[in-house]
């Protein structure tokens, strides 16, 4: 729990300093929350999709595909498809998307 609180507070502090637009800041903060959350529920998988739909990008595509596969897998709708990702797939997709967003912020910060 201490690691979770430290990660969220660090993200809030850094995003405030960077002057990121509110939608992107919310998305990044929620990705940090999902990565460091001590427990996970299926309902949490939807929030990054809702926020990512406003900006799009490769991270949004990868996360949407992985989260959909995980939801299908966890719900038992496709018992004959054992290769679908579980909750761990969503975690890795969150991590990839967060790294892509941070990379985009770093590029936007550099002078042309």
């Amino acid at each position: 729990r201490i690691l979770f609180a430290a990660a969220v507070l660090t993200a809030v502090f850094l995003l405030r300093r960077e002057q990121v637009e509110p939608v992107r800041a919310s998305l990044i903060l929620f990705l940090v929350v999902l990565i460091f959350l001590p427990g996970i529920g299926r309902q949490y998988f939807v929030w990054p999709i809702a926020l990512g739909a406003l900006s799009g990008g490769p991270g949004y595509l990868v996360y949407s595909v992985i989260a959909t596969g995980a939801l299908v897998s966890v719900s038992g709708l496709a018992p004959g498809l054992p290769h679908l990702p579980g909750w761990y797939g969503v975690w890795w997709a969150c991590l990839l998307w967060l790294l892509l967003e941070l990379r985009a912020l770093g590029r936007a910060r550099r002078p042309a």
Side-chain angles (χ1 to χ4, degrees):
R1 293 182 188 180
I2 292 172
L3 182 61
F4 171 75
V8 170
L9 289 174
T10 301
V12 168
F13 176 73
L14 293 176
L15 289 171
R16 184 171 176 241
R17 227 180 63 197
E18 290 292 325
Q19 298 296 322
V20 180
E21 60 269 10
V23 171
R24 179 157 275 161
S26 297
L27 172 64
I28 292 171
L29 183 59
F30 205 87
L31 290 172
V32 168
V33 166
L34 279 180
I35 290 169
F36 289 96
L37 200 63
I40 191 75
R42 290 180 286 189
Q43 66 273 18
Y44 299 143
F45 295 175
V46 178
W47 281 103
I49 293 173
L51 291 168
L54 299 173
S55 59
Y60 172 66
L61 175 66
V62 169
Y63 180 85
S64 297
V65 170
I66 298 294
T68 301
L71 286 172
V72 168
S73 172
V74 172
S75 67
L77 292 174
L81 299 174
H83 62 281
L84 289 175
W87 63 268
Y88 54 86
V90 177
W91 187 86
W92 284 107
C94 279
L95 186 61
L96 173 69
W97 195 0
L98 179 63
L99 293 174
L100 290 172
E101 289 294 326
L102 294 177
R103 183 177 173 203
L105 281 178
R107 285 184 177 172
R109 195 175 354 144
R110 285 189 223 142

